Amino acid sequence: MTTKEIKAFGTNSEIEPLQKMKIERRIVTDHDVEIEILFCGICHSDLHQVKNDFGGAMYPIVPGHEIVGRVTAIGNHVTKFKVGDLAGVGCIVDTCRTCNPCKEGFEQFCEEGMTFSFNSIDKTYGGHTFGGYSECIVTDEKYVLSIPKTLDLASTAPLLCAGITVYSPLNHWKIGKGNKVGILGIGGLGHVAIKIAKAMGAYVTVFTTSQVKVDDAKRLGADDAILSSDPEQMKKYAGKLNFILDTVSAKHDVNIYLNQLTIDGSMVLVGLPPEPLSISAFSVIKGRRSFAGSNIGGIAETQEMLDFCEKHNITADIELINIQDINKAYERLEKGDVHYRFVIDLATLKN
Ligand code: NAP
Ligand code: ZN
Ligand code: ZN
């Protein structure tokens, strides 16, 4: 396998800031697409990985899995893309392709485990994977998405992870007209979830710890907003919601939200608090409620989500940053001070 050296931003340990570094990318093989990265979103998972919140981090880490750009080279057998096309890469860059989940389009549940776009052992080419805070990415076309031409490109990048992570459970639990939905945590995932759940026809109320976000929730499309620290406001939807999507990134009391569900209502966790959550038996036995989880989404479903977002003109609300400002952005992300997704302009990597 031949490789070339490219510019990237990453870190050599959990205590060092992100900085300029060089990494190797393979030259396209038969089924590969090379994408010049134009924009990459910053997901809270990038921060969890850099901080080694879940253990097993492989340094150097070059984060980034909300990648959009333009195809610059294709392998001899590529059929889905041509040079010049807009293309994207999300969280998954490889799976076994032969297990039942892979065959059914649930690559996120591959029995052999997924190869993530960064910080993951590369079973095919060796070493570990590097993500989208870099000049280009080379990925098998099977895991590359077509990006709608009509949406703003930088604001589309976050759909590759935030978008699919919230679309998949809303889709699986068949959210639509007549459903009352709660969205918990209005960050990158939560604010896209408001837009998608509304486009699916649901009545949407958000639960946030921030008064500023309560005031902004209607602009984002929500029907109502509740300040979760106010017990009086928390009474309004008690026992009334059919479905809650929990996107909170840190430890929190899930019981106060389970109590917002109707009989047979479901609360689905997509946030990844590093510490275990505790659930009182009464929160679920009362009302035969379900507490479940969901993990990104498969490749076909990600394409379906992008098409849905194009149809409904849904993108993320972003703050576009220069890559040199990445460490400041991480500090703000840690404090929940983002409106509502940082996206890196990779043109600034050339500076
Ligand atoms: P984010 O932009 O940082 O948003 C997280 C939100 O959670 C914050 O904006 C805040 O909302 C709320 N929050 C944070 N700390 C809190 C605390 N101590 N108590 C209560 N609320 C708190 O993060 P994100 O990028 O949307 O990601 C959210 C989580 O999903 C992360 O853990 C990420 O790793 C995970 N994730 C999971 C998947 C998956 O497949 N399951 C995919 C992508 C990301 P308010 O200010 O509104 O309270
Ligand atoms: Zn993510
Ligand atoms: Zn598989």
Side-chain angles (χ1 to χ4, degrees), residues 325-344:
D325 294 328
I326 188 88
N327 293 300
K328 264 190 273 168
Y330 269 44
E331 275 170 37
R332 285 185 50 201
L333 183 59
E334 181 123 50
K335 288 190 283 193
D337 174 24
V338 193
H339 301 276
Y340 284 88
R341 193 58 135 192
F342 287 120
V343 171
I344 306 165

Side-chain angles (χ1 to χ4, degrees), residues 187-318:
L189 268 57
H191 92 286
V192 175
I194 297 172
K195 300 181 189 198
I196 292 179
K198 274 306 290 180
M200 288 174 167
Y203 175 94
V204 177
T205 189
V206 306
F207 294 84
T208 173
T209 58
S210 151
Q211 183 58 49
V212 174
K213 294 182 187 175
V214 168
D215 299 339
D216 201 25
K218 289 204 175 128
R219 185 192 62 80
L220 291 169
D223 295 289
D224 202 358
I226 300 292
L227 187 65
S228 50
S229 54
D230 180 348
E232 272 311 303
Q233 291 188 41
M234 287 298 283
K235 285 181 189 158
K236 183 167 178 187
Y237 291 99
K240 294 200 176 73
L241 300 179
N242 308 102
F243 183 83
I244 296 176
L245 189 66
D246 181 348
T247 78
V248 173
S249 53
K251 193 165 187 187
H252 58 291
D253 180 6
V254 291
N255 299 287
I256 60 171
Y257 302 103
L258 284 164
N259 288 325
Q260 307 286 321
L261 291 173
T262 54
I263 294 171
D264 288 331
S266 300
M267 174 157 159
V268 176
L269 187 69
V270 289
L272 295 168
E275 305 86 15
L277 301 169
S278 91
I279 296 181
S280 152
F282 295 100
S283 301
V284 284
I285 66 162
K286 254 178 78 183
R288 198 167 49 197
R289 295 162 177 146
S290 302
F291 184 63
S294 186
N295 191 18
I296 45 173
I299 298 299
E301 195 179 31
T302 305
Q303 194 64 60
E304 176 186 309
M305 174 277 306
L306 287 165
D307 298 344
F308 178 92
C309 288
E310 182 178 31
K311 185 169 165 215
H312 296 277
N313 198 23
I314 293 172
T315 54
D317 287 27
I318 66 161

Side-chain angles (χ1 to χ4, degrees), residues 95-103 107 109-113:
T95 59
C96 84
R97 304 162 196 223
T98 56
C99 71
N100 282 335
C102 276
K103 284 196 275 195
E107 293 92 348
F109 306 128
C110 173
E111 288 169 5
E112 307 279 315

Side-chain angles (χ1 to χ4, degrees), residues 66-134:
E66 293 184 337
I67 300 165
V68 293
R70 208 167 274 288
V71 175
T72 41
I74 55 171
N76 292 331
H77 295 161
V78 167
T79 56
K80 269 168 60 187
F81 296 92
K82 56 184 192 319
V83 170
D85 285 350
L86 290 177
V89 175
C91 301
I92 310 173
V93 293
D94 202 7
T95 59
C96 84
R97 304 162 196 223
T98 56
C99 71
N100 282 335
C102 276
K103 284 196 275 195
E104 288 163 11
F106 300 118
E107 293 92 348
Q108 72 273 35
F109 306 128
C110 173
E111 288 169 5
E112 307 279 315
M114 290 174 268
T115 304
F116 289 98
S117 12
F118 74 92
N119 199 24
S120 200
I121 287 172
D122 189 333
K123 293 182 196 127
T124 309
Y125 295 99
H128 69 269
T129 53
F130 295 115
Y133 302 1
S134 59

